[in-house]
Amino acid sequence: MTQKKSSLAANAASPAPRFSDPSKIAVSSAKASNKPASTKIGFKTNEFIVYPAHGVGQIVAIEEQEVAGFKLELYVISFVKDKMTLKVPTPKVAAVGMRKLAEADVVRKALDTLTGRARIKRTMWSRRAQEYEAKINSGDLVAIAEVVRDLYRSDVQPEQSYSERQLYEAALDRMARELAVVHKVDDAESLKLIESQLAKGPRRASKAEDVAAAEENDVDEAA
């Protein structure tokens, strides 16, 4: 009897997680499944967002699809200008860098960036082009403004190469489209705003001054 009592006491004291209440398991799993969904709380249908690789888009729907027996929630994003629709799983939003439109302070900083002096590294163009492209696809409005500033050419400056022009126009388009949505104006007005900011920057060197500066740098490097 003593042995039986001690055995029963031991069994009562030992935990029994293996046979937990199914309702508790359901609640627990529901909480776990809600974790990735929490990232979607800040986005809603008809909201404009920024997708780093494509720029400004609009969420036109939030739909569910069944994949391998599991339900997957997706943002359906329309990029009207590019005539493209993209579906992004809600748990992947943070990983792809999708964000809300820039706040007022970020917009102000980006516009101020345009008025600064161009910062062009003395490195091979291929290396600089990669850096510019990475900034454009980062989705960071200030970084994109830096590309616009650095590749901008006034009327008195030497013309851009084809690849420079492509990157400049890509950065300009990304920035203009976001500012247009933020300020609720059309693209033309947004471009005028950007151009007016660029005009406030330091005097841009003329073609002759650019050539002279390049020759001086070549002499310094040779020495």
Side-chain angles (χ1 to χ4, degrees):
M1 286 292 292
T2 305
Q3 288 180 347
K4 284 184 179 179
K5 283 182 180 180
S6 61
S7 175
L8 288 170
N11 288 337
S14 62
R18 190 178 298 175
F19 302 102
S20 299
D21 184 351
S23 64
K24 291 181 179 179
I25 293 175
V27 170
S28 175
S29 63
K31 286 180 180 177
S33 65
N34 281 338
K35 284 183 180 178
S38 65
T39 59
K40 71 182 176 63
I41 293 175
F43 298 101
K44 56 185 181 294
T45 307
N46 297 325
E47 181 178 5
F48 285 96
I49 55 85
V50 175
Y51 189 90
H54 303 293
V56 175
Q58 185 176 25
I59 298 174
V60 294
I62 301 174
E63 62 181 35
E64 282 188 351
Q65 284 186 1
E66 191 166 319
V67 180
F70 294 94
K71 285 185 178 179
L72 184 64
E73 194 169 48
L74 304 161
Y75 286 120
V76 183
I77 307 168
S78 173
F79 299 88
V80 177
K81 194 170 182 180
D82 299 325
K83 297 179 181 178
M84 178 181 72
T85 300
L86 189 67
K87 293 185 177 183
V88 181
T90 56
K92 295 290 184 181
V93 165
V96 300
M98 196 170 103
R99 65 169 173 82
K100 288 180 171 289
L101 294 174
E103 298 286 345
D105 58 332
V106 176
V107 171
R108 190 161 47 248
K109 186 176 180 181
L111 290 172
D112 288 343
T113 297
L114 297 176
T115 65
R117 186 176 296 279
R119 298 177 183 178
I120 301 174
K121 295 181 180 178
R122 301 294 298 177
T123 57
M124 292 180 63
W125 165 246
S126 59
R127 177 74 61 83
R128 283 191 289 132
Q130 288 178 349
E131 291 177 1
Y132 289 143
E133 193 168 355
K135 283 185 175 183
I136 293 169
N137 290 326
S138 70
D140 184 329
L141 187 62
V142 176
I144 294 169
E146 289 173 357
V147 179
V148 174
R149 177 200 65 198
D150 292 350
L151 292 179
Y152 169 70
R153 294 288 183 273
S154 65
D155 293 337
V156 298
Q157 285 186 288
E159 291 183 2
Q160 295 167 314
S161 67
Y162 177 72
S163 54
E164 280 182 315
R165 187 71 189 172
Q166 275 192 315
L167 286 171
Y168 173 72
E169 288 180 350
L172 184 64
D173 181 65
R174 290 284 179 87
M175 186 173 187
R177 287 167 71 178
E178 183 163 2
L179 292 184
V181 177
V182 169
H183 292 302
K184 297 179 180 179
V185 297
D186 59 30
D187 288 354
E189 289 183 73
S190 183
L191 284 169
K192 283 181 183 178
L193 173 61
I194 292 172
E195 288 168 358
S196 68
Q197 288 297 107
L198 288 168
K200 293 177 185 177
R203 187 180 70 85
R204 305 280 171 166
S206 67
K207 186 171 184 178
E209 289 171 330
D210 250 12
V211 171
E215 288 176 350
E216 186 179 338
N217 284 328
D218 289 342
V219 170
D220 290 341
E221 288 174 6

